[in-house]
Amino acid sequence: MSDWRAILDQNAFDFSRSGSTDARLNRLIEQRRHLVGPTAMLFYDEPLQLVKGEGVWLYDSAGKRYLDAYNNVPVLGHCHPRVMDAVTAQMSQLNIHTRYLDDALHRYAQQLLSTLPLKQGRLVMTCTGSEANDLALRLARLHTGQQGVIVSAAAYHGNTQAVTDVSPSSLKRGQVPAYVACIDLEPLNTEGIDASAYLDQQVEAAIAQLQRDGYGCAAFLVDSIFSSDGVYADPPGMLKAAAARVQRAGGLLIADEVQPGFGRTGSNLWGFDRHQLSPDIVTFGKPMGNGYPVAALAADETLLAELAEVSGYFNTFGGSSVAVAAAQAVLDTLDEEALQANALSTGNRLKQGLQGLAEHYEPLSHVRGAGLFIGVDIVSSEDPTRPDSVLCSRIVNGLRQRGVLIGAAGRYGNVLKIRPPLCFNHDHAQHLLDALEQVMAQDLIRR
Amino acid sequence: MSDWRAILDQNAFDFSRSGSTDARLNRLIEQRRHLVGPTAMLFYDEPLQLVKGEGVWLYDSAGKRYLDAYNNVPVLGHCHPRVMDAVTAQMSQLNIHTRYLDDALHRYAQQLLSTLPLKQGRLVMTCTGSEANDLALRLARLHTGQQGVIVSAAAYHGNTQAVTDVSPSSLKRGQVPAYVACIDLEPLNTEGIDASAYLDQQVEAAIAQLQRDGYGCAAFLVDSIFSSDGVYADPPGMLKAAAARVQRAGGLLIADEVQPGFGRTGSNLWGFDRHQLSPDIVTFGKPMGNGYPVAALAADETLLAELAEVSGYFNTFGGSSVAVAAAQAVLDTLDEEALQANALSTGNRLKQGLQGLAEHYEPLSHVRGAGLFIGVDIVSSEDPTRPDSVLCSRIVNGLRQRGVLIGAAGRYGNVLKIRPPLCFNHDHAQHLLDALEQVMAQDLIRR
């Protein structure tokens, strides 16, 4: 298709246009352009200046309230008191790196590792998910002696050089490197498709391509909710055969849990568990500290020992005292507030509601997702086989004007991305559904 | 030399030995080994469990006090109230990423950029210095179309794949990639050497090597205090000719200010300014948020526009509301507490004291440094031309037993690395000197 675009530009403000009738906002946009520069992206046709967050709500500088159905970093909700208290308390005691002994780190590592299917699992704290995925690739390449990596066609795994190379969604021009093989997710929309067999065939072809081109297969790096591809969740277990094939071929399975992890998919704490996978490496990021920067990688002792033989690895901010305190508060609160169960219940309610709307509004096509990560394909009213990124953008911006924040995703930028904090409840879901119905009824053709 | 070792292992606890006579500490060490694994390094022959920090002081679990002359992340001192207050206040209001407008980010960017010699400077917030250097390499390679990078022989620039490749100090086995050319700093110890001419010749040879091997010269990536090489600071201006040569050859000058920046060298806010350099890219890290994870890259609009043409760039935690609040508090407090001036004054006092000790104790050889970043070469008592990493380790551990924390650095692991928070005053300096004299007098041969 010709309308391929960088996922990161989806829902982006266009700096070449004036942003607002509001002079103050325009001044802020100009400052932004002159201070932060060309790589800095703003959301929405009329960018937002936010000043306050609480639970699922965000407030702009004019006092207007927005329902946050986009941000997954504040997984417990904005400004959650448990995390604030933990960070404040630890910050007043000590904030130091991991080259001193810290039993809080041990406690956290033990708790997190106990949820993973690794035999001799070890937890390496990093600061960002990008760093965790970057390290995962190093471990996989060192262990296998191969270079090739399999990812989904619109994958995003982070911002370093190494992970940008395996993030086709970051590309605005050109192609992924030859050592990257991509698998296309869209055919999973085909009615009656055997998803497991399809993915297995795709991975088989990817391995063959990488072997033929001399790169071999180091890893299958997978975000099992396929966030930037436009959310492909079902059926559970669909990745099992494909993942096993990679592992049989000597490649490692890297489960990137930055998006699906920490209960978001509702049925499981981890995305890989929903598909009954046995990853060799698991990476964690965004929601891990509810906004405090913390991330991690888990792998078996043997993989880490291979790295330690050839290279030092140290992460200054990774696993510092305050980062661990924040991460522990997140794990504890997820449990105490039963947020995984809420993600399942609210997610099901929301998906039902969206499916109901899709029956009435032609441009709302496939509704996919698990728990509180839902994607809705937007297609042309004239031709329902054509992805419509322009209309998708109009819906996203229409919702923003009505006080509901969501995003856009997918290879063609035509998927509504709904991914709220996990404290999103049934009333919030109804609020979103009502706003979406207003947008559709006002702006668009009723079926 | 045969005793080359990874800098990151310097001053490392050896897990193959029992750590302590203290059973509780040994249990913690065992937990560490089984939860965090082989890449996790601990400091000192008897690792420390720290529980509290305040200013320049750290406290272990037994209540013993340590003078911190090692940690540069808490640049204002441990648990500085200004940063704690700023983080707490912002955390209770909003903590969100940079795809919304934020005038606090603009204010900070403007203030930081005003200190840099960039024409159309823009500030890209990242989460870690590793990410900033990784991005700097991408910008340089994209702009120049070349791959080669010049670094110092024991450089350390971070932990991602791309920056590990240009960090010879992280190597435990093997060699740096062929597109990396290294310049050796040790000859700067030679009496009467023309440092500027020497560095210029080294860089000339490095450029020639990279061009001959077909990589070309994309960048000279330089930590201008040469932290991991063992601290080479003088004379100011010594890098000017070398840097200009790189820029004339079409390569970019990347000033890695993670170590020398934010006033540490005393005479200047930035290390590159001390050498009168005009960097194309400046990267910031560790001390920027006094422990709150925040880092950045500054470059001209044109360089960033080139990246934005081909790739998206977004950093989830970089420049989030709380990160900016922490960074602003650091800039403000550096100024209000005149910490750069203190670094100069205390650093000079400390260097004098160390030079005095070096006159009495043969193993204390060259004393180098600027402001509060000082290195002292440790050489064999029998043969003063021979670096003595074993003795260096004994001194570092002797100081630790006497309640003073420093580190080790240098290509041969034989340099005392003294790099305290910038609130380190003359009394603290005297405390360190007294402890060092005790270690030398008790353990070693008096000249």
Side-chain angles (χ1 to χ4, degrees):
Chain A
M1 294 232 180
S2 59
D3 61 346
W4 175 285
R5 41 191 297 198
I7 304 296
L8 288 174
D9 271 5
Q10 285 172 7
N11 190 26
F13 169 69
D14 180 354
F15 276 91
S16 67
R17 301 186 308 107
S18 169
S20 168
T21 50
D22 180 336
R24 204 186 51 81
L25 209 60
N26 281 340
R27 202 176 57 246
L28 278 172
I29 292 168
E30 272 310 291
Q31 285 178 355
R32 171 93 166 194
R33 185 208 301 270
H34 288 105
L35 293 166
V36 189
T39 57
M41 189 259 234
L42 285 172
F43 276 156
Y44 303 113
D45 290 345
E46 186 174 0
L48 276 167
Q49 183 188 21
L50 299 172
V51 297
K52 170 78 189 141
E54 192 173 9
V56 296
W57 299 101
L58 288 163
Y59 300 83
D60 73 11
S61 47
K64 184 175 168 183
R65 190 174 79 155
Y66 298 83
L67 179 66
D68 187 357
Y70 175 78
N71 285 295
N72 56 341
V73 171
V75 61
L76 312 177
H78 293 277
C79 302
H80 195 286
R82 274 294 296 275
V83 181
M84 291 198 293
D85 290 350
V87 167
T88 302
Q90 186 58 51
M91 215 174 22
S92 70
Q93 285 298 307
L94 179 71
N95 191 19
I96 201 82
H97 53 79
T98 58
R99 288 179 295 203
Y100 309 105
L101 290 163
D102 176 10
D103 48 13
L105 169 62
H106 299 171
R107 181 188 161 209
Y108 181 77
Q110 188 148 40
Q111 195 173 336
L112 197 68
L113 289 168
S114 73
T115 68
L116 304 176
L118 300 170
K119 279 181 201 148
Q120 291 193 294
R122 306 289 184 257
L123 193 69
V124 179
M125 301 294 286
T126 68
C127 189
T128 69
S130 295
E131 290 178 340
N133 281 331
D134 192 290
L135 179 59
L137 291 178
R138 286 173 73 190
L139 295 175
R141 287 173 171 150
L142 195 61
H143 179 74
T144 63
Q146 310 293 327
Q147 288 302 304
V149 179
I150 303 172
V151 294
S152 58
Y156 178 75
H157 294 290
N159 60 34
T160 70
Q161 176 68 69
V163 292
T164 297
D165 284 347
V166 297
S167 295
S169 74
S170 289
L171 269 185
K172 292 185 184 177
R173 273 204 324 237
Q175 295 192 309
V176 292
Y179 57 81
V180 180
C182 296
I183 60 173
D184 198 355
L185 278 296
E186 286 148 12
L188 293 177
N189 284 326
T190 315
E191 207 153 323
I193 192 170
D194 181 337
S196 175
Y198 169 74
L199 290 168
D200 190 27
Q201 286 155 14
Q202 284 278 300
V203 161
E204 183 178 23
I207 294 170
Q209 174 198 322
L210 293 171
Q211 288 177 341
R212 183 194 66 216
D213 295 347
Y215 299 107
C217 179
F220 180 24
L221 171 56
V222 63
D223 155 17
S224 59
I225 192 73
F226 296 107
S227 165
S228 49
D229 288 275
V231 190
Y232 290 85
D234 285 317
M238 68 178 179
L239 281 161
K240 200 176 173 184
R245 181 180 293 278
V246 170
Q247 290 172 311
R248 278 199 313 275
L252 299 192
L253 178 64
I254 305 171
D256 178 348
E257 292 289 339
V258 172
Q259 296 287 344
F262 293 100
R264 176 159 295 278
T265 65
S267 58
N268 298 77
L269 184 58
W270 307 119
F272 69 78
D273 249 350
R274 206 172 154 270
H275 290 296
Q276 302 140 43
L277 309 180
S278 300
D280 301 289
I281 302 175
V282 185
T283 57
F284 311 91
K286 296 191 200 294
M288 192 169 170
N290 208 51
Y292 194 95
V294 55
L297 171 147
D300 260 347
E301 160 96 9
T302 47
L303 290 179
L304 293 168
E306 286 169 4
L307 179 69
E309 278 291 303
V310 297
S311 171
Y313 184 84
F314 176 66
N315 195 304
T316 300
F317 297 140
S320 66
S321 328
V322 178
V324 169
Q328 186 68 57
V330 169
L331 266 195
D332 293 346
T333 308
L334 277 172
D335 186 46
E336 283 160 24
E337 299 189 356
L339 292 178
Q340 183 185 315
N342 180 65
L344 187 63
S345 157
T346 305
N348 283 340
R349 167 78 192 81
L350 185 55
K351 204 155 74 164
Q352 275 173 9
L354 291 166
Q355 279 158 341
L357 288 179
E359 287 170 20
H360 291 279
Y361 296 98
E362 208 161 23
L364 302 180
S365 176
H366 303 95
V367 176
R368 295 178 303 263
L372 280 171
F373 207 142
I374 301 178
V376 183
D377 280 348
I378 304 300
V379 296
S380 160
S381 299
E382 287 90 55
D383 174 4
T385 67
R386 199 166 65 77
D388 194 335
S389 64
V390 174
L391 184 54
C392 180
S393 173
R394 261 170 56 201
I395 297 172
V396 169
N397 281 285
L399 283 170
R400 174 243 178 273
Q401 293 300 341
R402 279 165 188 76
V404 175
L405 305 183
I406 68 165
R411 190 162 169 182
Y412 308 113
N414 74 311
V415 186
L416 303 182
K417 182 162 82 171
I418 301 171
R419 188 190 53 181
L422 297 190
C423 55
F424 208 75
N425 66 27
H426 287 229
D427 290 343
H428 304 136
Q430 192 56 50
H431 185 113
L432 185 155
L433 292 166
D434 292 345
L436 180 58
E437 175 140 38
Q438 285 167 29
V439 170
M440 300 307 290
Q442 185 171 333
D443 296 357
L444 305 166
I445 303 133
R446 223 173 205 290
R447 181 175 275 174
Chain B
M1 294 234 182
S2 58
D3 60 346
W4 174 286
R5 42 192 292 197
I7 303 298
L8 289 174
D9 270 5
Q10 286 172 6
N11 190 27
F13 169 69
D14 180 354
F15 276 92
S16 67
R17 300 188 306 107
S18 169
S20 170
T21 49
D22 181 335
R24 206 186 50 83
L25 209 60
N26 281 340
R27 201 174 59 244
L28 278 172
I29 292 168
E30 273 309 291
Q31 285 178 355
R32 171 93 167 195
R33 186 210 299 271
H34 288 105
L35 293 166
V36 190
T39 58
M41 188 258 234
L42 285 173
F43 276 156
Y44 304 113
D45 290 346
E46 186 174 2
L48 277 166
Q49 183 188 21
L50 299 172
V51 296
K52 170 78 190 142
E54 191 173 12
V56 297
W57 299 100
L58 287 162
Y59 300 82
D60 72 11
S61 47
K64 184 175 170 184
R65 189 174 81 154
Y66 298 83
L67 179 65
D68 186 358
Y70 175 78
N71 286 296
N72 56 342
V73 172
V75 61
L76 312 177
H78 292 277
C79 303
H80 195 286
R82 274 294 296 275
V83 181
M84 291 198 293
D85 291 350
V87 167
T88 302
Q90 186 59 50
M91 215 173 21
S92 70
Q93 286 297 306
L94 179 70
N95 191 19
I96 201 83
H97 53 79
T98 59
R99 289 179 294 201
Y100 308 104
L101 290 163
D102 176 9
D103 49 12
L105 169 62
H106 299 170
R107 181 188 162 209
Y108 182 77
Q110 188 148 42
Q111 195 174 337
L112 196 68
L113 288 168
S114 74
T115 68
L116 304 176
L118 300 170
K119 279 182 199 148
Q120 291 192 292
R122 306 287 184 260
L123 193 69
V124 179
M125 302 293 287
T126 67
C127 189
T128 69
S130 294
E131 290 178 339
N133 281 331
D134 191 289
L135 179 59
L137 292 178
R138 285 173 73 190
L139 294 174
R141 286 172 172 152
L142 195 62
H143 178 74
T144 61
Q146 309 293 327
Q147 288 303 305
V149 178
I150 304 171
V151 295
S152 58
Y156 179 74
H157 294 290
N159 59 34
T160 70
Q161 176 67 71
V163 293
T164 298
D165 283 347
V166 297
S167 295
S169 74
S170 289
L171 269 184
K172 292 185 185 177
R173 273 207 320 239
Q175 295 193 310
V176 292
Y179 58 81
V180 180
C182 296
I183 59 175
D184 197 355
L185 278 295
E186 287 149 11
L188 293 177
N189 283 328
T190 316
E191 205 153 327
I193 192 171
D194 181 337
S196 174
Y198 168 75
L199 290 169
D200 189 28
Q201 287 156 14
Q202 284 279 300
V203 162
E204 184 178 21
I207 294 172
Q209 174 199 322
L210 292 172
Q211 289 177 339
R212 183 194 66 217
D213 295 345
Y215 299 107
C217 179
F220 180 23
L221 171 56
V222 63
D223 155 15
S224 59
I225 192 73
F226 296 106
S227 165
S228 48
D229 288 276
V231 191
Y232 289 85
D234 285 317
M238 69 178 178
L239 281 162
K240 200 176 172 184
R245 179 180 294 278
V246 170
Q247 290 173 309
R248 278 199 312 276
L252 299 192
L253 178 65
I254 305 172
D256 179 347
E257 292 289 340
V258 171
Q259 295 288 343
F262 293 98
R264 175 159 295 277
T265 66
S267 57
N268 298 77
L269 184 59
W270 307 118
F272 69 77
D273 250 350
R274 203 169 157 271
H275 290 297
Q276 302 139 43
L277 309 180
S278 299
D280 300 289
I281 301 174
V282 185
T283 56
F284 311 92
K286 295 191 201 296
M288 192 170 170
N290 207 52
Y292 193 95
V294 56
L297 171 147
D300 261 347
E301 160 96 10
T302 45
L303 290 178
L304 293 168
E306 287 168 3
L307 178 69
E309 278 291 303
V310 297
S311 171
Y313 184 84
F314 176 65
N315 195 304
T316 300
F317 298 141
S320 65
S321 328
V322 177
V324 169
Q328 186 67 57
V330 169
L331 268 195
D332 293 347
T333 308
L334 278 171
D335 186 46
E336 284 160 23
E337 299 188 357
L339 292 178
Q340 184 184 314
N342 180 66
L344 187 63
S345 159
T346 306
N348 284 340
R349 169 76 192 82
L350 185 55
K351 203 154 75 164
Q352 274 174 11
L354 290 166
Q355 279 157 343
L357 288 179
E359 286 170 22
H360 291 277
Y361 297 98
E362 210 161 22
L364 303 179
S365 177
H366 303 96
V367 177
R368 295 178 304 262
L372 281 171
F373 206 143
I374 300 177
V376 183
D377 280 347
I378 304 302
V379 296
S380 159
S381 300
E382 287 89 55
D383 175 4
T385 68
R386 199 166 65 78
D388 194 335
S389 64
V390 174
L391 183 53
C392 180
S393 173
R394 259 171 57 202
I395 296 171
V396 168
N397 282 286
L399 283 170
R400 173 246 178 274
Q401 294 299 342
R402 279 165 188 76
V404 175
L405 305 183
I406 68 165
R411 189 162 171 181
Y412 308 111
N414 74 310
V415 186
L416 304 182
K417 183 162 81 170
I418 300 171
R419 188 190 54 179
L422 297 191
C423 55
F424 208 75
N425 66 27
H426 287 229
D427 290 344
H428 304 135
Q430 192 56 50
H431 185 114
L432 184 155
L433 292 166
D434 292 345
L436 180 58
E437 176 140 38
Q438 285 167 30
V439 170
M440 299 307 290
Q442 185 170 334
D443 295 357
L444 306 164
I445 304 132
R446 225 172 201 290
R447 179 175 276 174

